[in-house]
């Protein structure tokens, strides 16, 4: 089989990063290997995100730019995958006739077959969304993405998708429209995948889903048909021999149970960091967002979490400028930030998304006001993050090495803080070290290696 080279550009979230790995593994069975640049590629894949208006514009301008590559290399294949592909479908083929294939979020496992079809029958769009979709079980082969694994994949750390889609229909969100109904993978398939990864050298696993807290709620995931929750899965994955660290993302507060919060107390290798998107600090805005919890309920969850795990590092997502957000509503968001003192947050200006209910809401907020609110929120968050980082100075922390140069080591604490140290001992990605935190920066920490962890 003639060897061909593919290049993947991944936009957006960790789900997309994992989907790019899945497409890479599928393509490797069709004689493709991964290249590190566009120039040498026979196939270019844009794995897209449409969570915000800006993300979509980026994809369209990149496709425009690729028109000349196709002109210079007529056999070049161009494929658009991910959420913009799902959302726009055939419209992309119309607007960008140099695109060969549009692959929707439930079709990524068949990318190899779909490429062969598009070579035979011309440009294709495969964007079917099936409510009864069953996530194929693809056991990892560690060398799938590049012969020289040290360049692209750090096998010491891996994402594992446990579910796809979402049934919550928050009014601003495209995910239920682009990734379909919630479907959870069989627990045994997930355990098999984690076992294979850990056997292959992986030390840290992050379980991925749009709303992992509702894992196993919409379809049966156990072989005996008994109910099986996300905390059951966490307990079982954590027992995989050799797994040093376990993380998960993303959670919806409305499905956060006491049993799941207790896992932070009872599971030794579950990292003490938790991403719990709140989105806004006003009950009237949360209602319009269809988030199904109140500010009070969110604060109670935070208190409970800190009861079970006082040192937990909490991060969140916030949208400012949601339609109808009054100055008082926004003050509510600022007050919530003061009360919770998040270690960090991802904050964005609201933007209309195709097919979402909020897109047709009135009382849209002026762009300038949105920018002012975002700047104020981010400035205060930066102050709090820096204060939080200073709390670690003088403490001894176990870190996992991520990257090394001749004289320095980049690593991460289990609370997800980056730590830079002078390289005083031989270390490589995946190693655990004990370090003393010596200095705090805005976005990372400095440390001194005391001994191998
Ligand atoms: S829970 Fe998350 S993924 Fe689901 S609709 Fe709401 S914001 Fe989107």
């Amino acid at each position: 089989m003639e060897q061909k080279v593919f290049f993947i550009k991944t936009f957006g979230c960790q789900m997309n990063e994992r989907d790019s790995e899945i497409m890479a593994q599928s393509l490797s069975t069709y004689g493709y290997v991964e290249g590190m640049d566009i120039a040498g590629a026979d196939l270019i894949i844009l794995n897209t995100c449409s969570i915000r208006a800006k993300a979509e514009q980026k994809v369209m301008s990149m496709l425009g730019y690729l028109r000349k590559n196709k002109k210079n290399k007529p056999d070049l294949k161009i494929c658009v995958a991910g959420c913009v592909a799902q959302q726009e479908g055939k419209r992309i083929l119309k607007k960008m006739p140099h695109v060969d294939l549009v692959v929707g979020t439930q079709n990524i496992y068949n990318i190899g077959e779909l490429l062969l079809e598009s070579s035979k029958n011309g440009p294709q769009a495969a964007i079917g969304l099936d409510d009864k979709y069953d996530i194929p079980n693809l056991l990892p082969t560690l060398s799938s993405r590049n012969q020289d694994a040290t360049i692209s994949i750090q096998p010491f750390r891996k994402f594992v998708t446990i579910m796809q889609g979402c049934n919550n229909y928050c009014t601003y969100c495209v995910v239920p429209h682009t990734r379909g109904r919630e479907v959870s993978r069989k627990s045994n398939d997930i355990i098999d995948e984690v076992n294979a990864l850990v056997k292959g050298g992986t030390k840290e696993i992050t379980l991925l889903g749009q709303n992992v807290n509702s894992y196993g709620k919409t379809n049966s995931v156990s072989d005996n048909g008994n109910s099986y929750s996300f905390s059951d899965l966490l307990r079982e994955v954590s027992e995989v021999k050799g797994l040093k660290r376990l993380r998960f993302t993303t959670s919806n507060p409305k499905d956060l149970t006491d049993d799941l919060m207790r896992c932070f107390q009872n599971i030794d290798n579950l990292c003490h960091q938790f991403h719990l998107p709140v989105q806004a600090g006003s009950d009237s805005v949360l209602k319009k967002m269809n988030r199904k919890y109140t500010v009070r309920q969110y604060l109670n969850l935070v208190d409970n979490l800190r009861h079970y795990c006082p040192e937990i590092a909490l991060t969140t997502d916030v949208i400012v400028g949601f339609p109808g957000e009054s100055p008082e509503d926004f003050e509510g968001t600022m007050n919530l930030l003061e009360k919770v003192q998040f270690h960090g947050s991802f904050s964005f200006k609201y933007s209309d998304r195709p097919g979402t209910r909020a897109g047709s809401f009135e009382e849209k907020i002026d762009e300038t006001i949105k920018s002012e609110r975002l700047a104020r929120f981010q400035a205060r968050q930066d102050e709090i993050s820096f204060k939080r980082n200073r709390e670690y100075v003088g403490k001894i922390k176990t870190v996992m090495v991520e990257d090394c140069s001749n004289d320095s080591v980049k690593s991460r604490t289990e609370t997800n803080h980056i730590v830079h140290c002078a390289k005083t001992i031989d270390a490589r990605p995946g190693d655990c070290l004990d370090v003393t935190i010596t200095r705090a920066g805005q976005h990372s920490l400095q440390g001194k290696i005391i001994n191998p962890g």
Side-chain angles (χ1 to χ4, degrees):
M1 193 190 293
E2 176 222 346
Q3 192 169 60
K4 290 169 280 183
V5 177
F6 70 88
F7 171 80
I8 293 189
K9 168 92 180 135
T10 305
F11 296 85
C13 64
Q14 292 159 330
M15 290 291 287
N16 265 9
E17 279 182 43
R18 177 63 192 134
D19 285 356
S20 291
E21 289 178 357
I22 289 165
M23 287 189 273
Q25 190 171 337
S26 161
L27 286 167
S28 68
T29 60
Y30 287 79
Y32 279 93
V33 291
E34 181 168 8
M36 285 300 116
D37 58 50
I38 282 182
D42 304 299
L43 164 65
I44 297 171
I45 303 169
L46 304 185
N47 188 10
T48 62
C49 165
S50 76
I51 208 89
R52 264 163 281 285
K54 239 200 227 133
E56 203 179 307
Q57 286 144 15
K58 264 195 222 155
V59 173
M60 290 308 172
S61 65
M62 192 157 183
L63 284 175
Y65 163 82
L66 288 174
R67 194 177 275 116
K68 80 175 181 331
N69 294 59
K70 184 92 175 196
K71 212 148 157 250
N72 301 340
K73 192 176 177 178
D75 293 346
L76 173 67
K77 292 280 176 224
I78 297 177
C79 167
V80 182
C83 291
V84 175
Q86 186 64 49
Q87 179 187 294
E88 298 302 312
K90 286 202 173 92
R91 283 193 290 275
I92 293 176
L93 298 179
K94 241 209 207 109
K95 277 191 216 152
M96 304 281 177
H98 56 292
V99 169
D100 300 279
L101 181 60
V102 175
V103 181
T105 52
Q106 288 187 355
N107 291 281
I108 55 169
Y109 291 81
N110 321 323
I111 189 170
E113 262 330 295
L114 292 166
L115 271 168
L116 291 178
E117 250 171 67
S118 75
S119 304
K120 262 186 279 152
N121 311 326
Q124 309 266 319
I127 55 163
L129 268 185
D130 173 359
D131 282 357
K132 296 255 170 303
Y133 176 59
D134 202 6
I135 303 176
N137 191 29
L138 189 71
L139 275 185
T141 47
L142 279 183
S143 65
S144 65
R145 278 197 78 184
N146 189 306
Q147 305 310 319
D148 180 354
T150 57
I151 292 180
S152 68
I153 297 179
Q154 297 163 352
F156 80 92
R157 173 177 59 182
K158 280 286 201 178
F159 297 130
V160 172
T161 299
I162 65 169
M163 60 195 298
Q164 169 130 340
C166 186
N167 295 353
N168 288 319
Y169 288 90
C170 300
T171 55
Y172 54 84
C173 183
V174 287
V175 170
H177 311 279
T178 58
R179 288 196 174 258
R181 306 287 296 174
E182 220 164 81
V183 57
S184 301
R185 290 178 68 196
K186 291 274 180 222
S187 57
N188 284 343
D189 291 349
I190 296 168
I191 303 296
D192 290 350
E193 183 172 341
V194 173
N195 267 308
L197 288 170
V198 172
K199 213 179 264 134
T202 297
K203 304 266 179 7
E204 177 179 301
I205 293 281
T206 301
L207 302 178
L208 287 183
Q210 257 83 35
N211 179 17
V212 293
N213 298 7
S214 61
Y215 172 78
K217 279 200 178 151
T218 44
N219 61 292
S220 167
V221 292
S222 60
D223 288 350
N224 57 19
N226 293 349
S227 76
Y228 186 99
S229 70
F230 179 55
S231 14
D232 293 328
L233 180 69
L234 275 182
R235 282 185 277 269
E236 214 178 329
V237 170
S238 70
E239 281 152 17
V240 169
K241 207 161 168 312
L243 181 65
K244 285 242 167 47
R245 285 185 168 183
L246 179 56
R247 301 180 191 273
F248 61 84
T249 196
T250 300
S251 297
N252 186 313
K254 78 173 184 58
D255 299 313
L256 179 53
T257 61
D258 202 61
D259 186 31
L260 177 52
M261 291 192 265
R262 242 198 314 259
C263 289
F264 287 99
Q265 199 178 45
N266 307 334
I267 299 180
D268 294 345
N269 54 2
L270 181 59
C271 292
H272 292 170
Q273 57 107 168
F274 196 29
H275 186 64
L276 191 62
V278 67
Q279 304 298 1
S282 132
D283 287 349
S284 72
V285 173
L286 289 173
K287 196 159 176 33
K288 286 184 204 146
M289 287 178 164
N290 192 29
R291 290 292 286 173
K292 302 187 184 88
Y293 52 82
T294 62
V295 173
R296 183 67 265 155
Q297 286 166 331
Y298 185 87
L299 291 170
N300 291 347
L301 290 172
V302 169
D303 292 347
N304 286 350
L305 261 172
R306 287 178 172 158
H307 162 70
Y308 287 115
C309 184
E311 71 281 6
I312 198 156
L314 263 183
T315 56
T316 195
D317 292 343
V318 162
I319 295 174
V320 301
F322 189 78
E325 182 187 68
S326 66
E328 295 71 34
D329 289 328
F330 177 63
E331 284 315 316
T333 301
M334 293 305 290
N335 293 342
L336 183 101
L337 174 59
E338 286 311 321
K339 284 198 184 105
V340 178
Q341 299 277 304
F342 293 103
H343 285 70
S345 58
F346 302 93
S347 48
F348 308 94
K349 292 190 283 184
Y350 168 81
S351 60
D352 286 339
R353 303 309 304 126
T356 61
R357 278 178 47 216
S360 59
F361 286 2
E362 282 160 15
E363 299 179 276
K364 294 288 165 58
I365 307 295
D366 179 76
E367 270 312 305
T368 324
I369 294 175
K370 281 196 237 178
S371 303
E372 284 162 9
R373 288 177 183 174
L374 186 64
R376 193 173 143 215
F377 181 88
Q378 290 179 341
R380 182 63 190 129
Q381 177 64 74
D382 279 351
E383 289 166 359
I384 293 171
S385 299
F386 193 14
K387 180 188 71 88
R388 284 283 193 194
N389 285 354
R390 286 199 297 274
E391 290 165 3
Y392 293 103
V393 175
K395 299 237 169 86
I396 294 179
K397 289 286 170 190
T398 300
V399 294
M400 186 175 278
V401 175
E402 293 197 345
D403 204 0
C404 307
S405 67
N406 294 338
D407 53 10
S408 74
V409 172
K410 177 187 170 196
S411 61
R412 195 176 291 264
T413 64
E414 51 109 23
T415 50
N416 217 20
H417 289 84
I418 291 175
V419 182
H420 299 285
C421 303
K423 190 175 180 183
T424 51
I425 62 170
D426 194 17
R428 55 201 186 101
D431 288 354
C432 285
L433 307 171
D434 289 340
V435 302
T436 307
I437 305 299
T438 52
R439 207 161 62 78
Q442 181 66 59
H443 302 296
S444 66
L445 306 169
Q446 291 283 330
K448 189 169 172 297
I449 299 173
I450 36 184
N451 59 24

